[in-house]
Amino acid sequence: MKLFTLISFILLTSSPLVYAQDTNLPENSSLVKAGSKFVTLLGTQINVGDIAPNFKVVDENFSPVTFERYSGKNVLISVVPSLDTGVCSAQTKTFNEKVASLSDKTVFITISNDLPFAQKRFCNTENINNIQILSDSVWRDFGAKYGLLIKDMGLLTRAIFIINPEQKVVYKELVANISTPPNYETALEKITLLSSQTSE
């Protein structure tokens, strides 16, 4: 399903996936569009220079995973609305292909609000085995703390974060339109440079 079609469907059907507590989060309605229309992002925007907030998500077995697990490593977090769309699939496969050449002190993570069952099926089908796929579907903790939860959709907006071993955000791309891919070249240049510096 194309992402814009998926988003339109969710808007029209008032997705039941949206939690009541989401309405208590800060809102920003001028950063990201779906097609020609701005969407409202819920949560606190994180910027370059900030210390990356800890968060709790789940893995394919619904086991909790916190960001503290990656302390002391370079981390690239690739955020996608749904793996079941062309752009999100391509984004995940692109980063999966690039991981092997980097230092073992570097971790690539994809986070979406897809259920772990769907994420596991995607990874098996697409041979995704070099990056970690995690789900924010249980608590919405990552989306809220990083300002990425799309109001009334139950999805995360597309974004890239690079975080150094001191847990400082050194790169951020909040993709301006949900239906377009991120800037792969710049993100990969940043994480490759950071990885090489850490390996020295």
Side-chain angles (χ1 to χ4, degrees), residues 19-27 42-43:
Y19 294 172
Q21 62 264 36
D22 292 345
T23 59
N24 298 322
L25 297 172
E27 298 188 3
L42 302 176

Side-chain angles (χ1 to χ4, degrees), residues 10-196:
I10 292 171
L11 283 172
L12 289 171
T13 56
S14 298
S15 171
L17 295 174
V18 180
Y19 294 172
Q21 62 264 36
D22 292 345
T23 59
N24 298 322
L25 297 172
E27 298 188 3
N28 195 309
S29 302
S30 60
L31 295 176
V32 171
K33 289 183 176 181
S36 60
K37 179 181 178 182
F38 277 105
V39 296
T40 298
L41 299 183
L42 302 176
T44 304
Q45 287 296 309
I46 301 303
N47 298 305
V48 171
D50 292 344
I51 297 299
N54 190 30
F55 58 82
K56 184 167 69 170
V57 289
V58 293
D59 63 16
E60 65 179 26
N61 299 312
F62 278 91
S63 298
V65 175
T66 65
F67 186 62
E68 292 172 333
R69 172 183 294 189
Y70 308 106
S71 178
K73 294 183 178 291
N74 302 305
V75 182
L76 185 148
I77 301 177
S78 171
V79 189
V80 298
S82 174
L83 293 169
D84 193 30
T85 64
V87 177
C88 298
S89 174
Q91 182 173 330
T92 304
K93 289 188 284 188
T94 296
F95 287 124
N96 184 66
E97 292 169 3
K98 301 298 182 180
V99 150
S101 62
L102 296 180
S103 160
D104 60 3
K105 293 182 180 291
T106 300
V107 176
F108 279 62
I109 300 169
T110 289
I111 300 179
S112 75
N113 274 357
D114 296 301
L115 290 173
F117 309 116
Q119 292 181 335
K120 186 174 183 178
R121 182 176 64 249
F122 171 83
C123 290
N124 290 338
T125 301
E126 301 293 344
N127 297 313
I128 303 297
N129 48 29
N130 295 323
I131 62 178
Q132 299 177 38
I133 309 290
L134 300 171
S135 175
D136 195 34
S137 62
V138 177
W139 301 289
R140 310 293 178 93
D141 191 50
F142 171 75
K145 290 180 176 176
Y146 285 68
L148 303 177
L149 186 61
I150 306 174
K151 185 177 182 179
D152 298 329
M153 290 189 189
L155 301 175
L156 298 173
T157 196
R158 193 179 311 282
I160 303 291
F161 294 90
I162 296 176
I163 299 159
N164 71 13
E166 289 73 44
Q167 296 190 301
K168 180 180 288 187
V169 178
V170 297
Y171 176 80
K172 171 187 176 180
E173 181 187 6
L174 187 65
V175 180
N177 196 300
I178 299 170
S179 299
T180 60
N183 187 329
Y184 297 121
E185 183 176 349
T186 299
L188 288 167
E189 284 178 358
K190 296 282 187 183
I191 193 67
T192 300
L193 178 59
L194 193 61
S195 179
S196 66

